[in-house]
């Protein structure tokens, strides 16, 4: 039985029925749907639409339905078009015709938007704790890294030496922003649509502010037309999740590179690597490749929803039924990725010697220029002088540290014997001591700040 058969003489074509049905997707909001109905029944009772005994019967019936969902006992009927129909059908089986009073003044339009928002309010903290676990893994690695130095890159070309700890933390902060974004989104999710009716508002004199409070929403939506069709929260949520996907893909890309024999900066634990069915020697970073790949899928989900929303006439349009699948799938994707990446990071081994060997004296060319700045020569000039030293060393096929003092002094009389100290990469690191720099002290401060010490 559908919730809308009255005006029809024919039943819906079976293929059209299958297309129309949203149960496979929205049954995931079963608990939220029942909670919304319990609160709505309370509101109808307060508004004198339900008598005491009707309210008691509906509430008891809904409690049973909820229990059936929670314990996995609920069985769906072939006629259940969506989760709302399923709940009402079961309630009718349990308490009889009184169940038919529950939908007074309510539409599936305000109902589904309410369910979806309730679902998201509970998904956000779940995501947050998965984020935090990965952040802890990154922080732990940063602390473990001690004084290990590695090459820092721009354009994927060797640039300047950095601390490994600094690099680990550079992947911590984006996740912090992701968490902030999701936390900030809560205030835009926490707006109650229920009581907006199909589009124009409900004729039932419900206290929507009290209804909002009873369901844990911050406020009731101020405009019924907007409220039944507002899916900004879903698009924003997908953006947040996708942005995390992109952050994780950046981390993944580097782990893939850095675990290659060419770099050899890290080794993955066996528990988070996979082999090849053909090449016995292979140890592949599949989990990071999958993470990198899934970021693409997440972008597709966000883009898909935005395209669905584009140009929709107000208010509710059935196109909106497309909103939940990508949100659920994106959440599942992230919840699948985050703990695996955390596990892989927890168990990864750094190879400090390989990192150190990848630092050559050319990475201190900036320090060479800075040395002359210390002699009061303008940076523009010192940059050119250091550039000439790089060219000369390149031509002679030697490192910068192998050029003679005479050669340096020919480039600038300001060079003295202590110039060779600039080629110590740790000295280069230590000079970068301002807030946010890669020096030991600066990174220590970063860790302290993160830990709130
Ligand atoms: N399954 C629908 C959705 O997800 C519920 C709302 C149905 N509303 C309607 N007017 N048919 O959007």
């Amino acid at each position: 039985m559908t919730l809308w058969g009255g005006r029809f003489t024919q039943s819906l074509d079976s293929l059209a029925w299958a297309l129309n049905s949203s149960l496979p997707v929205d049954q995931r909001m079963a608990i939220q749907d029942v909670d919304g109905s319990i609160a709505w029944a309370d509101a109808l009772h307060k508004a004198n639409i339900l008598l005491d005994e009707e309210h008691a019967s509906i509430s008891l019936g809904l409690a049973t339905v909820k229990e059936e969902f929670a314990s996995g006992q609920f069985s769906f009927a072939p006629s259940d078009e969506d989760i709302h129909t399923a709940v009402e059908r079961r309630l009718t089986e349990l308490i009889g015709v009184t169940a038919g009073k529950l939908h007074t003044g309510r539409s599936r339009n305000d109902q589904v938007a309410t369910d979806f928002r309730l679902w998201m309010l509970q998904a956000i903290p779940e995501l947050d704790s998965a984020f935090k676990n990965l952040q802890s893994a990154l922080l732990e690695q940063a602390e473990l890294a001690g004084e290990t130095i590695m090459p820092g890159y721009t354009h994927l070309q060797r640039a300047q030496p950095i601390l490994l700890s600094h690099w680990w933390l550079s992947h911590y902060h984006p996740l912090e922003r992701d968490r902030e974004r999701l936390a900030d989104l809560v205030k835009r999710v926490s707006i109650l649509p229920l009581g907006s009716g199909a589009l124009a508002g409900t004729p039932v004199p419900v206290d929507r502010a009290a209804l909002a409070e009873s369901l844990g929403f911050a406020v009731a939506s101020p405009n019924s037309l907007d409220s039944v069709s507002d899916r900004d929260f879903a698009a924003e949520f997908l953006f947040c999740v996708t942005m995390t996907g992109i952050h994780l893909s950046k981390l993944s890309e580097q782990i893939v590179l850095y675990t290659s024999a060419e770099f050899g900066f890290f080794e993955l634990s066996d528990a988070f690597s996979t082999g090849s069915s053909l090449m016995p020697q292979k140890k592949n970073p599949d989990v990071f490749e999958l993470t990198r790949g899934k970021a693409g899928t997440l972008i597709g989900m966000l883009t898909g929803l935005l395209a669905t929303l584009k140009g929709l006439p107000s208010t509710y349009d059935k196109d909106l039924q497309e909103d939940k699948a990508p949100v659920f799938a994106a959440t599942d994707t992230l919840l699948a990725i985050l703990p695996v990446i955390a596990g892989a990071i927890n168990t990864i081994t750094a190879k400090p010697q390989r990192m150190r060997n990848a630092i050559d004296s050319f990475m201190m060319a900036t320090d060479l220029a800075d040395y002359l700045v210390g002699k009061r020569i303008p940076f523009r000039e010192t940059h050119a002088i250091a550039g000439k030293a790089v060219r000369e060393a390149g031509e002679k096929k030697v490192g910068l540290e192998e050029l003679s003092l005479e050669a340096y002094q020919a480039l600038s009389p300001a060079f003295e014997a202590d110039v060779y100290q600039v080629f110590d990469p740790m000295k280069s690191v230590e000079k970068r001591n301002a807030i946010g720099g890669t020096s030991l002290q600066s990174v220590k401060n970063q860790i302290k700040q993160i830990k709130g010490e």
Side-chain angles (χ1 to χ4, degrees):
M1 191 205 59
T2 62
L3 299 177
W4 41 266
R7 63 155 294 169
F8 293 89
T9 51
Q10 272 190 322
S11 57
L12 184 63
D13 171 83
S14 63
L15 293 178
W17 165 271
L19 176 67
N20 191 49
S21 167
S22 56
L23 188 64
V25 173
D26 61 26
Q27 58 176 275
R28 189 158 168 169
M29 307 186 302
I31 297 289
Q32 290 78 12
D33 196 73
V34 179
D35 284 343
S37 287
I38 291 171
W40 187 243
D42 293 345
L44 291 176
H45 181 225
K46 276 191 212 143
N48 260 330
I49 306 285
L50 291 181
L51 302 173
D52 290 349
E53 56 277 19
E54 292 169 334
H55 175 232
S57 160
I58 288 177
S59 302
L60 203 65
L62 286 171
T64 306
V65 176
K66 187 171 172 177
E67 182 44 44
E68 288 179 359
F69 278 123
S71 62
Q73 308 278 294
F74 190 96
S75 63
F76 288 102
S79 60
D80 293 342
E81 177 186 342
D82 51 31
I83 190 62
H84 327 296
T85 315
V87 170
E88 193 172 320
R89 189 255 316 146
R90 182 66 187 130
L91 185 64
T92 310
E93 287 169 7
L94 288 167
I95 68 165
V97 288
T98 310
K101 296 201 168 187
L102 174 61
H103 210 55
T104 312
R106 182 178 74 168
S107 156
R108 283 181 294 169
N109 299 352
D110 56 352
Q111 195 180 354
V112 75
T114 302
D115 293 1
F116 198 16
R117 285 170 182 269
L118 279 174
W119 181 90
M120 195 173 285
L121 287 173
Q122 149 248 286
I124 289 175
E126 221 181 301
L127 281 167
D128 190 65
S129 65
F131 278 121
K132 277 203 272 191
N133 287 340
L134 175 52
Q135 282 185 310
S136 303
L138 291 163
L139 184 60
E140 232 166 82
Q141 282 291 355
E143 293 191 288
L144 210 71
E147 302 192 0
T148 303
I149 49 174
M150 71 187 297
Y153 298 83
T154 63
H155 311 265
L156 206 55
Q157 307 289 322
R158 286 179 182 173
Q160 291 176 336
I162 56 171
L163 286 181
L164 171 60
S165 53
H166 198 44
W167 180 82
W168 279 122
L169 293 177
S170 75
H171 295 285
Y172 177 100
H173 297 286
L175 293 170
E176 191 65 11
R177 295 195 291 277
D178 293 338
R179 290 182 54 212
E180 266 175 40
R181 248 188 295 274
L182 274 177
D184 183 69
L185 173 59
V186 167
K187 63 174 179 277
R188 285 178 297 285
V189 184
S190 196
I191 301 170
L192 174 77
L194 197 59
S196 297
L199 73 159
T202 182
V204 175
V206 287
D207 177 351
R208 291 192 64 224
L211 182 61
E213 208 188 316
S214 73
L215 278 168
F217 284 90
V219 287
S221 59
N223 182 307
S224 62
L225 304 178
D226 175 42
S227 173
V228 294
S229 59
D230 169 16
R231 297 294 184 273
D232 295 9
F233 68 96
E236 271 194 68
F237 179 86
L238 280 174
F239 173 77
C240 294
V241 169
T242 303
M243 199 65 233
T244 304
I246 289 172
H247 290 146
L248 297 180
S249 79
K250 181 177 184 172
L251 169 65
S252 297
E253 165 65 7
Q254 282 169 89
I255 300 286
V256 169
L257 273 177
Y258 290 173
T259 52
S260 69
E262 281 68 18
F263 280 87
F265 290 175
F266 292 111
E267 184 170 353
L268 291 177
S269 70
D270 286 1
F272 292 95
S273 3
T274 38
S276 158
S277 61
L278 192 146
M279 299 166 281
Q281 86 283 11
K282 289 303 288 291
K283 185 170 178 186
N284 294 330
D286 286 29
V287 297
F288 290 97
E289 293 169 277
L290 285 166
T291 300
R292 192 177 57 187
K294 283 178 191 296
T297 309
L298 290 171
I299 291 170
M301 291 172 187
L302 167 64
T303 314
L305 180 66
L306 290 173
T308 296
L309 296 178
K310 181 197 167 293
L312 281 187
S314 36
T315 53
Y316 179 83
D317 304 276
K318 198 60 177 260
D319 315 44
L320 292 174
Q321 184 164 285
E322 294 296 307
D323 60 357
K324 286 169 285 303
V327 167
F328 293 163
T331 306
D332 292 344
T333 299
L334 208 51
L335 287 174
I337 292 174
L338 285 166
V340 175
I341 296 300
I345 297 297
N346 267 324
T347 54
I348 204 168
T349 312
K351 303 281 177 193
Q353 198 51 52
R354 292 282 309 200
M355 295 179 181
R356 177 64 187 84
N357 292 349
I359 298 172
D360 59 44
S361 57
F362 291 101
M363 297 183 72
M364 271 68 76
T366 316
D367 301 279
L368 187 63
D370 290 340
Y371 170 90
L372 291 179
V373 167
K375 311 275 181 192
R376 303 267 157 216
I377 304 175
F379 181 74
R380 268 302 136 240
E381 280 174 44
T382 71
H383 184 283
I385 296 167
K388 282 184 190 148
V390 167
R391 188 171 53 191
E392 204 171 315
E395 279 165 6
K396 292 189 170 138
K397 298 202 178 348
V398 295
L400 280 175
E401 78 285 14
E402 292 170 285
L403 286 182
S404 66
L405 185 57
E406 293 70 41
Y408 276 115
Q409 285 173 338
L411 292 170
S412 166
F415 280 119
E416 294 177 65
D418 63 351
V419 62
Y420 295 97
Q421 290 179 13
V422 306
F423 303 120
D424 176 354
M426 201 56 191
K427 283 216 163 62
S428 167
V429 162
E430 281 301 77
K431 271 192 270 169
R432 284 155 177 85
N433 200 29
I435 295 173
T438 196
S439 79
L440 280 166
Q441 189 52 50
S442 181
V443 173
K444 251 186 213 146
N445 293 343
Q446 212 183 130
I447 292 175
K448 267 195 195 155
Q449 197 189 22
I450 285 170
K451 291 175 144 181
E453 285 168 359

